[in-house]
Amino acid sequence: MGARREGRPDEALRHMQAAVALAREHDDPVALARALHGRANVERDRGRRDLALRLYREAVPLCRQGDDPLALAHTVRHLGDVLRELGDLTGAEPCYAEALALYRAHPSPPKLDLANAVRPLALLREALGEHEEARALWREARDLYRDAGIEAGVSESSAHLERLG
């Protein structure tokens, strides 16, 4: 996904479309899940959330066929993100809960991935007016971002905590 990181969305899309086609051709569900996730990320970057939603929804059950709980957690979290961005808080909630449970069950989840799973759940709780739970999640996210060395995450979490009081 170098093209995506380097700001070449058209090239990234071509690569991901080819990866999806190749995985389908070889009937490889795990590779297809990764490719669908990658293409969904590119589509989301391009503002095509409805298409990204369809791609993530196709990828999640394929991830369940594999043996990588972190890949499943990551894909389910991204599905939740798109649902939340589209205003479907009810649909996003179980995605975030599942992703967070998968990360917490892992013996050594990457701190940044765990922080990135806690953050959207904090956003969701805050949007639902569940301020006490949101505060607890923002504190956890802040600490995880601090441990991961991500100052932007620490700052965002601290700002939300300050607003919530």
Side-chain angles (χ1 to χ4, degrees), residues 124-142:
L124 182 83
R125 294 292 178 227
E126 192 173 335
L128 293 172
E130 299 171 6
H131 294 167
E132 191 58 40
E133 189 168 345
R135 276 191 288 277
L137 289 164
W138 280 119
R139 281 191 292 274
E140 181 181 2
R142 180 195 57 204

Side-chain angles (χ1 to χ4, degrees), residues 8-163:
R8 298 188 318 268
D10 293 338
E11 182 181 341
L13 180 60
R14 283 192 304 277
H15 286 286
M16 295 318 307
Q17 288 171 324
V20 169
L22 189 61
R24 286 191 198 286
E25 180 181 324
H26 288 98
D27 196 26
D28 184 341
V30 174
L32 181 56
R34 280 194 305 270
L36 289 166
H37 185 138
R39 177 152 180 222
N41 289 345
V42 172
E43 296 296 359
R44 187 173 167 208
D45 291 347
R46 296 166 66 93
R48 299 177 179 169
R49 287 190 182 97
D50 289 337
L51 179 52
L53 180 65
R54 288 196 310 270
L55 294 165
Y56 288 130
R57 281 187 167 149
E58 185 180 352
V60 167
L62 295 169
C63 286
R64 292 188 197 291
Q65 294 178 32
D67 61 355
D68 186 348
L70 293 179
L72 174 59
H74 200 62
T75 304
V76 170
R77 178 179 61 83
H78 279 199
L79 173 59
D81 288 342
V82 172
L83 289 166
R84 182 178 48 82
E85 290 165 4
L86 291 170
D88 184 358
L89 302 184
T90 303
E93 189 169 15
C95 293
Y96 290 149
E98 179 180 5
L100 194 52
L102 288 163
Y103 282 120
R104 291 193 195 289
H106 194 274
S108 57
K111 295 244 188 245
L112 181 55
D113 287 346
L114 182 55
N116 286 340
V118 172
R119 177 190 174 273
L121 189 55
L123 286 168
L124 182 83
R125 294 292 178 227
E126 192 173 335
L128 293 172
E130 299 171 6
H131 294 167
E132 191 58 40
E133 189 168 345
R135 276 191 288 277
L137 289 164
W138 280 119
R139 281 191 292 274
E140 181 181 2
R142 180 195 57 204
D143 295 345
L144 288 164
Y145 282 124
R146 184 177 295 125
D147 291 348
I150 307 298
E151 186 53 42
V154 174
S155 296
E156 179 191 22
S157 300
S158 296
H160 280 272
L161 285 166
E162 195 171 304
R163 268 196 311 278

